[in-house]
Amino acid sequence: MRTDEDIDAALATRLRTTLSTVAATVTAHDDQPAAPVAQEQPMPTRTRSRPRLAVLGAAGVATLAVAAFGYAKIGPEYVSQLPPPNVMAAGEESGIDFWLVPSFHQDSCDPDRNMPGVELVSAASNTVGGEWHTGGFAYGEADDSRAGAGCVTWDEQPWLADPTLVALGSTRLDGDDGPWGGHAAVHPSVTTLVITTPGEPAETIDTHPRPDAPDGPRYAAWGLPEGATEVRIELQNAAGETISIERLEYQSDRIVRTQPMS
Amino acid sequence: MSSSVTPIQSIERVYADHRLALLRLATLLTGSRDHGEDVVQSVFASAHPRWYGITQQLPYLRRAVINASADVHRRLARDRAVPEPATVTSIPEVDETWAVLVRLPARQRAVIVLHFYEDLPLVDIALVLRRPAATIRSDLHRALRTLKKELS
């Protein structure tokens, strides 16, 4: 690792002097602004009957499709705590924390259970007391023939026969132009993803099963560096062997999954 | 800047104790006192709703300042507005160096500020910026090369 001894001493001194001198010109003022505080909001009246949950489809669909779902079965319609409970994985991108949790919103196809898969929760899109804004995604062959009624189902069985099948997507972590968060739902044998963007060294992240299905499909989420126009995702098993390689391209108005790479 | 803050400190207390240090950091990173003020205010405002869910508040705030400062730079670049560094000290060598620093790409300037002002080793900078250490070394090398060339 490079040390100051490897750096021109005169330049290092000049930089330290410059930075400390410039910083010293920033002084506390008597009219220092008060600590910004969020306006206290009364708990909103229940004008919406359904929490907002974006369903992210399989195979590279990246735009958020807002689907209507039933009432949240667990917890209130509103955010009661952040981080949410039962965090499977956590990350941060551009100062925005995000968490991966087992789906906790009701399945509109079957009101007696929760949605399959997981939900991606961004700290920038959710505040305690406000409505939940999350992105859900699941593993398996999607059937959206009843999507108009808010019902999308996923069949895991066909996919479990082929470890190369993966549900990929990306979500804005903060509004319409915030940083991207990538996510994947993968075969139980895929324990690691190697994420590479042009000009950046590869990043290795673990996949995680839902706690109630430790041998089932696995899930992962990651932050994408700003300006990323494409990402390479290598799926690996526990032995470090490559199962498949996927590639996403970020175009001006959409994200496209290119052909899987052999 | 102290790196330890007890979790039970209120946001108001942390603001009072650490705002100036964060403002100085934001000013160095953005190249502008005004932008630095905006960054610090927005970081605290954003953190407020979830303050007690943040387990390490000062490191969180510092990281948020660093990332928010990079957002300022991107916005300015998109708007084709490059900030003109003010003559901040009337010390010619300092002002000359500062002018070159402000023109560095945001990532390179962040590495320079964190290494030579915050005295962070490169491995810690990699953790703060959540970028590989090799990338940090590369950014530092490119920044120093530019500085040496511009200031020679």
Side-chain angles (χ1 to χ4, degrees):
Chain A
M1 182 72 68
R2 197 186 187 102
T3 66
D4 273 1
E5 284 70 35
D6 302 321
I7 300 170
D8 180 276
L11 179 57
T13 300
R14 185 166 178 171
L15 288 172
R16 292 186 197 284
T17 301
T18 296
L19 291 169
S20 61
T21 304
V22 171
T25 65
V26 179
T27 58
H29 296 315
D30 290 337
D31 60 347
Q32 168 177 316
V37 294
Q39 290 289 332
E40 286 295 328
Q41 297 286 349
M43 183 65 73
T45 56
R46 199 176 169 100
T47 57
R48 288 169 54 96
S49 61
R50 295 173 177 186
R52 183 182 161 99
L53 174 64
V55 174
L56 306 170
V61 174
T63 53
L64 297 180
V66 178
F69 286 89
Y71 294 97
K73 191 172 185 180
I74 295 179
E77 183 175 334
Y78 302 104
V79 180
S80 60
Q81 67 176 86
L82 285 175
N86 306 317
V87 171
M88 295 161 52
E92 178 264 338
E93 177 61 41
S94 300
I96 300 173
D97 291 318
F98 57 88
W99 306 278
L100 209 57
V101 297
S103 289
F104 59 95
H105 284 97
Q106 191 181 36
D107 188 344
S108 62
C109 304
D110 184 349
D112 290 331
R113 67 179 188 189
N114 286 349
M115 290 289 293
V118 298
E119 294 183 39
L120 182 62
V121 182
S122 163
S125 301
N126 293 276
T127 55
V128 175
E131 291 186 9
W132 283 109
H133 294 267
T134 70
F137 60 103
Y139 175 85
E141 198 167 284
D143 178 2
D144 59 358
S145 58
R146 291 188 291 155
C151 176
V152 180
T153 59
W154 287 266
D155 186 355
E156 294 182 359
Q157 289 306 314
W159 280 32
L160 289 172
D162 183 354
T164 66
L165 294 176
V166 54
L168 291 172
S170 300
T171 305
R172 292 286 192 188
L173 295 176
D174 182 12
D176 294 331
D177 59 358
W180 288 104
H183 45 78
V186 298
H187 190 270
S189 65
V190 177
T191 58
T192 305
L193 303 181
V194 181
I195 311 295
T196 309
T197 53
E200 298 284 341
E203 179 183 3
T204 301
I205 62 171
D206 295 329
T207 63
H208 305 269
R210 284 177 47 133
D212 59 346
D215 298 322
R218 301 174 72 90
Y219 307 88
W222 60 91
L224 288 163
E226 62 268 27
T229 56
E230 61 180 76
V231 60
R232 176 184 184 274
I233 304 156
E234 181 178 343
L235 283 63
Q236 293 182 350
N237 60 20
E241 298 166 333
T242 299
I243 293 176
S244 70
I245 298 174
E246 300 282 344
R247 186 162 159 262
L248 294 177
E249 287 185 9
Y250 291 78
Q251 301 176 358
S252 59
D253 60 346
R254 59 182 178 158
I255 301 176
V256 177
R257 181 189 185 195
T258 59
Q259 287 295 322
M261 299 170 62
S262 57
Chain B
M1 185 186 303
S2 169
S3 63
S4 63
V5 175
T6 56
I8 59 173
Q9 285 199 343
S10 68
I11 190 172
E12 289 79 9
R13 180 56 185 266
V14 172
Y15 183 84
D17 289 348
H18 298 287
R19 172 190 170 269
L20 183 59
L22 290 169
L23 175 58
R24 284 172 170 164
L25 177 61
T27 298
L28 292 177
L29 290 170
T30 61
S32 157
R33 167 71 185 259
D34 286 343
H35 290 311
E37 288 275 14
D38 290 344
V39 163
V40 172
Q41 291 298 96
S42 69
V43 162
F44 274 99
S46 177
H48 182 271
R50 55 181 185 274
W51 182 250
Y52 290 100
I54 300 170
T55 54
Q56 294 187 41
Q57 289 150 341
L58 195 51
Y60 171 90
L61 290 171
R62 190 162 70 176
R63 194 167 65 243
V65 162
I66 291 167
N67 288 314
S69 299
D71 289 343
V72 167
H73 187 86
R74 277 196 299 276
R75 196 161 58 244
L76 290 172
R78 189 175 63 232
D79 295 341
R80 302 182 185 280
V82 179
E84 285 295 325
T87 302
V88 294
T89 69
S90 300
I91 303 171
E93 184 173 277
V94 170
D95 287 340
E96 180 191 21
T97 309
W98 178 239
V100 176
L101 281 167
V102 168
R103 290 197 299 270
L104 286 176
R107 283 183 181 169
Q108 291 180 20
R109 186 167 64 249
V111 173
I112 293 289
V113 170
L114 294 175
H115 190 55
F116 293 103
Y117 176 70
E118 295 274 307
D119 285 323
L120 291 183
L122 299 188
V123 62
D124 287 1
I125 295 174
L127 291 173
V128 169
L129 297 180
R130 291 182 62 83
R131 294 167 60 79
T135 304
I136 301 301
R137 284 199 299 274
S138 176
D139 285 341
L140 177 66
H141 176 74
R142 286 200 294 265
L144 291 175
R145 190 173 60 205
T146 300
L147 286 159
K148 213 168 187 177
K149 178 185 171 188
E150 297 282 332
L151 298 175
S152 63

